[in-house]
Amino acid sequence: DTAVSQTPKYLVTQMGNDKSIKCEQNLGHDTMYWYKQDSKKFLKIMFSYNNKELIINETVPNRFSPKSPDKAHLNLHINSLELGDSAVYFCASSLEGGPNEKLFFGSGTQLSVL
Amino acid sequence: QKEVEQNSGPLSVPEGAIASLNCTYSDRGSQSFFWYRQYSGKSPELIMSIYSNGDKEDGRFTAQLKASQYVSLLIRDSQPSDSATYLCAVNSNNNDMRFGAGTRLTVKP
């Protein structure tokens, strides 16, 4: 069983469209994250949730809206997609979000905006 | 100022050599430090974590944490399978892990 699974793995779409990426973890973790990795491999935190509550909301355009229906799921909806949104988006989870905890990553979603 | 900085690389070492990867961070309140390895097209995976000043060894890997806001990763007897991007990560607060831009390592047979 995959611990952190995200879908789809690849997403190719036109500018201006709206798309969603789904993430689920079956580890029983309380904390989930969205990271964006650009073409230079820089992995930047976007959001973190602890038990469905938004904790970290970095300087991300409000076209990006995370939703956590329960602590096992954290979805990312993106409105009005732009070329600069092209990147790999990683979902991750950790047990309670404590500072000594490692992150478990999903396999990533490669988003290409044309 | 970037929160976590790494030497950009790419770093190339011959097989069997020691690879040395460096990382500095700006937040003096940082508590926990991690090294993740990321193969091309894959997700990051944890290889080392360190929480106090000094050295921590795990097989061929040694993480070093110094009071001067500096953390390093040494890979002894480097193998071609070690070729990957190594990401330094720092956790200052709960629910908030910050990554450096990564150093790409190539180990040549």
Side-chain angles (χ1 to χ4, degrees):
Chain A
D1 282 346
T2 304
V4 182
S5 58
Q6 54 182 108
T7 56
K9 189 167 176 61
Y10 300 99
L11 187 52
V12 181
T13 188
Q14 300 287 330
M15 267 176 32
N17 283 351
D18 303 339
K19 291 293 178 185
S20 292
I21 307 172
K22 295 186 176 182
C23 180
E24 175 183 2
Q25 53 93 6
N26 62 6
L27 298 167
H29 287 172
D30 284 346
T31 303
M32 296 186 72
Y33 309 78
W34 277 110
Y35 283 86
K36 177 182 179 181
Q37 189 170 46
D38 61 24
S39 58
K40 296 183 179 179
K41 295 292 190 181
F42 183 43
L43 195 61
K44 184 172 171 58
I45 191 168
M46 301 173 70
F47 304 102
S48 71
Y49 271 73
N50 183 276
N51 210 358
K52 301 193 298 177
E53 180 184 346
L54 179 65
I55 303 296
I56 298 285
N57 184 349
E58 280 296 279
T59 309
V60 176
N62 57 15
R63 300 182 293 105
F64 290 79
S65 52
K67 282 192 171 50
S68 182
D70 55 61
K71 73 173 192 177
H73 295 84
L74 180 61
N75 304 321
L76 184 65
H77 187 75
I78 315 169
N79 288 329
S80 303
L81 278 155
E82 300 178 357
L83 293 176
D85 297 333
S86 296
V88 180
Y89 292 82
F90 284 101
C91 177
S93 73
S94 65
L95 183 60
E96 296 176 339
N100 290 355
E101 295 172 9
K102 75 173 193 177
L103 299 186
F104 292 77
F105 283 90
S107 57
T109 295
Q110 173 120 33
L111 172 64
S112 299
V113 183
L114 308 178
Chain B
Q1 183 183 2
K2 290 182 182 176
E3 296 165 340
V4 182
E5 295 205 44
Q6 297 182 242
N7 50 350
S8 56
L11 175 66
S12 181
V13 300
E15 185 174 354
I18 295 176
S20 177
L21 305 163
N22 304 313
C23 174
T24 57
Y25 56 94
S26 59
D27 186 350
R28 291 179 181 273
S30 299
Q31 303 180 43
S32 312
F33 310 89
F34 305 83
W35 284 98
Y36 284 79
R37 177 177 62 200
Q38 186 176 24
Y39 291 114
S40 181
K42 302 294 185 182
S43 55
E45 55 177 338
L46 181 72
I47 51 171
M48 289 288 286
S49 58
I50 187 166
Y51 310 123
S52 58
N53 290 345
D55 295 0
K56 179 181 178 182
E57 188 174 316
D58 183 2
R60 296 185 295 110
F61 298 95
T62 299
Q64 296 176 317
L65 178 61
K66 298 183 179 178
S68 52
Q69 296 175 249
Y70 171 89
V71 59
S72 67
L73 179 70
L74 299 177
I75 307 175
R76 288 181 302 281
D77 188 23
S78 295
Q79 301 297 309
S81 59
D82 295 327
S83 298
T85 296
Y86 289 80
L87 301 167
C88 173
V90 175
N91 206 337
S92 304
N93 302 298
N94 288 344
N95 311 297
D96 187 2
M97 187 173 295
R98 306 283 167 143
F99 286 80
T103 299
R104 194 170 76 199
L105 172 67
T106 301
V107 180
K108 296 185 175 179

